[in-house]
Amino acid sequence: MSSPLTTRRRLTAAVLALAATTLALAACSSSGAAESSAAALPSGLDPQPLAEDTTVTVSVGTKAEYLGALLLADALGEFEKENLTVDWVDLPSSDAVPALAQGKTDMAAVGLNATSFNAIDGGADIRLVFPGATKVPADGLYVAIDPATGQPKDVSTIAAISGPAGISVVPITRYLESVGKTVSDVAFEKVDLADMPAALDAGAVDAAWVNAPVTTMLEETGRYQRVVGYENGEYGAGYLMGPNLLRDHPEVGQAVVRALARTARDHLSGDYKTDTATVAALATALESTPEDVLSTPALTFDAALPTDAIQKAQQAWIAVGDILKADTPLEPTAYLDGSFLDRALGTT
C-alpha cells in the first residue's frame, strides 16, 4: 500500500494559483501525537529507507545551482536510498508559499523573501528546515562604471529579481552604508534576471543584483564593477516544509532532510566541480552544459541554519516600508524548525 503522500495527484501551476487566492490559516501547533512521533524519529545521516515508496511534492520556481542539494539528491539517487520520489511542481514564490501552507505541496524550494515571512505572520504553518547554498561567490551587486573616473557611479536605482524583498537586501545595505546611503535613499526595480544587462546598458538602473551565469556576461563587458556579494551564511534561498511533513508525516520530512544533508556532505563539499560526475549531474538537472557549470566557482553548501542575515533582512524590509506586514522582525522560532537537521546531524 502506498503512503498517503503518494496518492496526491500532480499539481499544475494553474491549479495552485487558483488555490492560492486566499490564505487564512490559523497557526497550527504540534499535537501530542505529532510530538510523540517526532520524538521517535531516527537520527544520523545514513540512509534509513521508509517502509513504503513515498512521493513528496516539491515546488521549485527556478532550478538553479544554489538548490544543488535538492537537485543532486534526486539525480544521484540519495532520495531513492530513502525510498523517496520527488514530484516536481513549477511555481514562483508568490504561489508556492500559499500552496505549501494549504497542504497542496509538501516542500517549497524558494528564495527567502518577505512573502514567506508575511505568510507566517498571518498564521501559515510553514517553517524553514534546510538552507540553499550558504555562500554564492559570483552573485553580487554590479554597478555601472563612470568612464570619466573609472569608479562605480553613484547609485540611485537598483534592479533585483524580488526588488528589495529578498535576502540580497542585506549585502546591498552593506554597500550603501559604505558610500553613505541607506536602503531608503534608493529606488528598487523588479527586473527579470535575463533582462538586467539590457536595463543596465540602457541606463534604466544604476546597479543590479545579478546571479550567475549572467554575472559572467557583465564582467566580460568591462563596464560594470561587482561592489559587494553575499558573505558566508547570507543564504538567499532555502527549503520550507508545510503541515504535511511538519505535522502529519514527520518521518518523511526527516528522510528528506537526511537526504539533503547527506548530499551536501558527500557531493557538494569543497570544490565539487572537480568531480566530473557531479558536474554532469548538475548540468543535466539545470538543462545546461558541463562547460556552463564550470564557468562559475563552486558554491558553499553548509548543513546549517544561521539566522543573522534573515533578521537583518527583516529590519531592512521594515526600513524600506510596505514590504513586511509586521512592524518588528519575526523571531527565528516563528519561521525556523531546526529539529529535522539537528536529528540528521546527531546534535539532539
Side-chain angles (χ1 to χ4, degrees):
M1 180 179 295
S2 62
S3 159
L5 292 181
T6 62
T7 62
R8 242 187 328 271
R9 299 175 60 189
R10 180 179 293 272
L11 301 171
T12 65
V15 172
L16 290 178
L18 290 173
T21 53
T22 59
L23 181 61
L25 299 176
C28 175
S29 61
S30 301
S31 65
E35 290 174 353
S36 176
S37 176
L41 293 175
S43 62
L45 285 177
D46 291 340
Q48 301 184 54
L50 297 166
E52 299 175 329
D53 181 28
T54 302
T55 298
V56 290
T57 304
V58 180
S59 66
V60 179
T62 301
K63 288 186 178 181
E65 191 174 335
Y66 55 76
L67 300 177
L70 175 68
L71 300 178
L72 290 183
D74 187 44
L76 297 180
E78 296 298 345
F79 282 140
E80 185 179 359
K81 293 176 183 177
E82 302 289 350
N83 221 0
L84 289 169
T85 300
V86 173
D87 185 9
W88 302 96
V89 177
D90 183 13
L91 282 178
S93 294
S94 57
D95 294 331
V97 170
L100 179 68
Q102 293 177 17
K104 304 297 184 181
T105 58
D106 304 314
M107 176 177 279
V110 297
L112 297 178
N113 57 44
T115 299
S116 302
F117 296 89
N118 284 334
I120 292 169
D121 188 49
D125 189 20
I126 59 176
R127 296 293 185 273
L128 174 66
V129 297
F130 199 82
T134 53
K135 187 174 183 180
V136 184
D139 294 2
L141 184 67
Y142 283 75
V143 180
I145 296 174
D146 185 342
T149 65
Q151 299 299 313
K153 290 183 177 180
D154 181 61
V155 173
S156 59
T157 55
I158 299 174
I161 295 173
S162 301
I167 297 295
S168 62
V169 74
V170 175
I172 289 173
T173 297
R174 190 161 58 244
Y175 173 70
L176 292 174
E177 290 176 346
S178 75
V179 295
K181 290 192 172 187
T182 71
V183 288
S184 301
D185 296 326
V186 299
F188 286 84
E189 300 288 343
K190 287 186 178 182
V191 179
D192 290 340
L193 180 60
D195 297 330
M196 286 183 184
L200 285 166
D201 288 345
V205 295
D206 305 312
W209 182 269
V210 184
N211 308 112
V214 175
T215 52
T216 303
M217 297 170 55
L218 294 181
E219 289 168 357
E220 289 174 348
T221 69
R223 298 194 301 271
Y224 306 99
Q225 181 175 328
R226 182 180 184 272
V227 295
V228 73
Y230 285 124
E231 294 183 352
N232 199 29
E234 293 178 349
Y235 52 104
Y239 303 94
L240 303 175
M241 276 186 193
N244 291 337
L245 300 186
L246 289 173
R247 317 295 171 205
D248 299 338
H249 300 280
E251 75 285 357
V252 179
Q254 190 64 54
V256 170
V257 171
R258 189 164 57 240
L260 291 174
R262 190 171 61 249
T263 301
R265 181 195 67 183
D266 295 347
H267 305 292
L268 291 168
S269 295
D271 188 2
Y272 55 87
K273 295 193 179 186
T274 60
D275 186 285
T276 55
T278 297
V279 170
L282 275 173
T284 300
L286 298 172
E287 298 180 356
S288 182
T289 66
E291 291 75 20
D292 283 342
V293 172
L294 290 171
S295 69
T296 56
L299 314 186
T300 299
F301 291 88
D302 291 325
L305 288 165
T307 58
D308 285 354
I310 295 174
Q311 296 303 108
K312 291 177 181 177
Q314 292 185 82
Q315 292 167 356
W317 296 335
I318 292 169
V320 173
D322 297 324
I323 297 177
L324 203 66
K325 292 180 180 178
D327 56 8
T328 57
L330 298 179
E331 291 299 322
T333 52
Y335 59 78
L336 183 144
D337 186 339
S339 65
F340 292 92
L341 183 54
D342 287 344
R343 282 187 291 270
L345 299 178
T347 56
T348 57

